[in-house]
Amino acid sequence: MTPPSRTLRADAARNRELLLAAAEAEFAERGLEASVADIARRAGVGKGTVFRHFATKDDLIAAIVRTHVGTLDAAGQRLLAAADPAAALLEFLTVAGGQREQRDVSYLLNADDAGPEVVALRERLYRTVCLLVDRAREANAVRADVTGHDVVLLMCAPNHVVSFVKDPPPDLWRRYLAIIFDGLRPEGAHPLAPPAPEL
Amino acid sequence: MTPPSRTLRADAARNRELLLAAAEAEFAERGLEASVADIARRAGVGKGTVFRHFATKDDLIAAIVRTHVGTLDAAGQRLLAAADPAAALLEFLTVAGGQREQRDVSYLLNADDAGPEVVALRERLYRTVCLLVDRAREANAVRADVTGHDVVLLMCAPNHVVSFVKDPPPDLWRRYLAIIFDGLRPEGAHPLAPPAPEL
Amino acid sequence: MTPPSRTLRADAARNRELLLAAAEAEFAERGLEASVADIARRAGVGKGTVFRHFATKDDLIAAIVRTHVGTLDAAGQRLLAAADPAAALLEFLTVAGGQREQRDVSYLLNADDAGPEVVALRERLYRTVCLLVDRAREANAVRADVTGHDVVLLMCAPNHVVSFVKDPPPDLWRRYLAIIFDGLRPEGAHPLAPPAPEL
Amino acid sequence: MTPPSRTLRADAARNRELLLAAAEAEFAERGLEASVADIARRAGVGKGTVFRHFATKDDLIAAIVRTHVGTLDAAGQRLLAAADPAAALLEFLTVAGGQREQRDVSYLLNADDAGPEVVALRERLYRTVCLLVDRAREANAVRADVTGHDVVLLMCAPNHVVSFVKDPPPDLWRRYLAIIFDGLRPEGAHPLAPPAPEL
DNA sequence: AATGAATGAGGCTTCATTCAT
DNA sequence: CATGAATGAAGCCTCATTCAT
């Protein structure tokens, strides 16, 4: 009669991780329209188990976004303390790109329907990036007319760009990050026409 | 004996345009999984009319791609004769961005299933861009390590980036095109890590 | 202002025949689910013209049935005057089979929804066949326990049977008509279990 | 560790049988173009359940054919060992007719698209019938010029013929089987014009 | 708690029929 | 009158979600 909740919880937690991993892999291969059934199969569990852990397919997506955004924010926070602000910003963008490696999951960042929790996380990430950019700007490592919001928006571009290549080398995104990052530098910067968007 | 199909064609042609416009808008808002029913509704026609004009949803997509790619290629060809190679390349990218203005239809460029005609068009555009880039490179207007393929890939980025902004000003993409284009210039260019992809 | 109804009628009549022929061919190739559009195309007219002549696809089918049944009845009537009753009945069944040659259109005879006119025609054919069978029976050319209704029912069997052969020779149905007709003869007849159906 | 899938299977198996029965009835009444929705309704299950059991409408058809052909072949195999070859062949055809009792499902034998498994089954049945006919021929119970293929083709005729009668007595097909079987006997046989088809 | 069977809304496509030209 | 464009109901199939076991 003693609740065996220990092992059960362990199993459940394991299944949760299996599902997140399977979902991410499946989404990466097939896009968001990957079927829940395939995800379940890949995770080696029944379809019903998916819904036990994530009430909705959207919830599952949100959980993945949460992970991504959370991880990224943590990296950003850590890099706020780095010695070289320019290197810190580039490293941050490198972490962002590496996180997706090969896959454009930028649409995950869309989800206005993603629920308040995700929105909050996103805003936190936004503030972190602003701080990183501010530091870099003060160190004259990025042009004066570029904002944190600009960088947030451009953050996904390298992976997105690569998504049009058939069988890209796994780090091709670095090439486009380098180009874009050069565009953010103060050297040889041309004035920017429309002002940066708010928020 | 004169073909009595002028007025009928007028109506049909109008519907065809309505459908293409509706499809483009719907795809831009919802992605390629926008439903044919919604497209038909938006165009103000019955579902069956879509089929009459485009035997398949894929055909509809192909038609849109055809239009985009064709128009863009024409612009590129024209700009090959321009006096200033640097301005020509920038103008080309500006045409590309303006064509979509606010709309990230970059996924249209995916469609490997788009049929041989679309593939051919795409390759033609690719060659045109290569020529534009070659000219610009020779004029020292873009960095030496950037290829036509790079530019083709980056072409969609400004619009894509803007698609994450809630209610963006219609020309916000120009801001990001400016940044990216600055990244393509030779001034202050840092070396690029992975080589450019083939094809 | 003189009504040019003469030539128009001629045209219309021609179209009607074209349509009947096209429909029969199409039905023969594809079955009753052949599309009206295909029939129109085969007849070389517009889809609308089909409906001008036959308010409904079912009407078109009924018209074909009418033709078949009418022709067959006429043949039967003619054969009622033939010298040899046995040969007359066999000839009648041969006409029936040849009329369909290669194609099982027996389902056309189903159509309870075929409208009163078709029903009337069918009954007339039925009476004709009964007379043919009566004469043959009196001449001891068919077994005593076989009725006109039996023969009407068996009439379509040879073509139906052949419809299961992949690429049958055009007169294969004659083989099965011969077998069935032998079954109708008095020689070596075994008693029949359930009585013949009414009507 | 015992597979906990007994009761679930029970439900599922029941539904499978319900579906097969409903499909057979619906096909018999409306032909193969009976709608999956109607079949599901008749079976008292949802539309999706049909798909779960039979991935495709064609699979459903194939399953029915499989059942029919398999059962019939088993009967034929058994009758190969019967003492009286003539009685054995008649009994076989009686089983065939009784299996359908009132239902013309002969179109089921068409399905060239039915998949290789069904084709194989059909060929097996064909060989069984050939053996039955060979034995009967050797015993002088059927005419010398009749082949197994002939019998296979004629097998469905009695039920088909009956399908044109409004409310037929359930065993009316026996009447037409008797007539056709008399046509297969050597007594009073007239020569057959076109040779029997191959395969 | 896990499973997978069942459900039904919704997607794409076809086609008989109507109607403006 | 003929034409073919438009329509919308209906068909097959997919899949997120619920629920009995």
Side-chain angles (χ1 to χ4, degrees), chain A residues 150-174:
Chain A
D150 287 331
V151 171
V152 167
L153 292 176
L154 286 165
M155 189 171 64
C156 295
N159 297 279
H160 176 65
V161 151
V162 164
S163 72
F164 298 122
V165 179
K166 182 72 107 196
D167 287 315
D171 59 351
L172 182 58
W173 58 271
R174 290 173 187 268

Side-chain angles (χ1 to χ4, degrees), chain A residues 75-105:
Chain A
Q77 301 272 3
R78 185 171 33 77
L79 286 165
L80 276 176
D84 180 349
L89 182 56
L90 181 53
E91 171 66 8
F92 173 77
L93 292 172
T94 301
V95 169
Q99 197 180 31
R100 322 218 158 81
E101 186 112 326
Q102 302 283 26
R103 181 66 195 171
D104 176 23
V105 288

Side-chain angles (χ1 to χ4, degrees), chain D residues 15 45-49 52-53:
Chain D
N15 274 344
V45 303
K47 235 186 320 181
T49 304
R52 158 164 284 282
H53 287 280

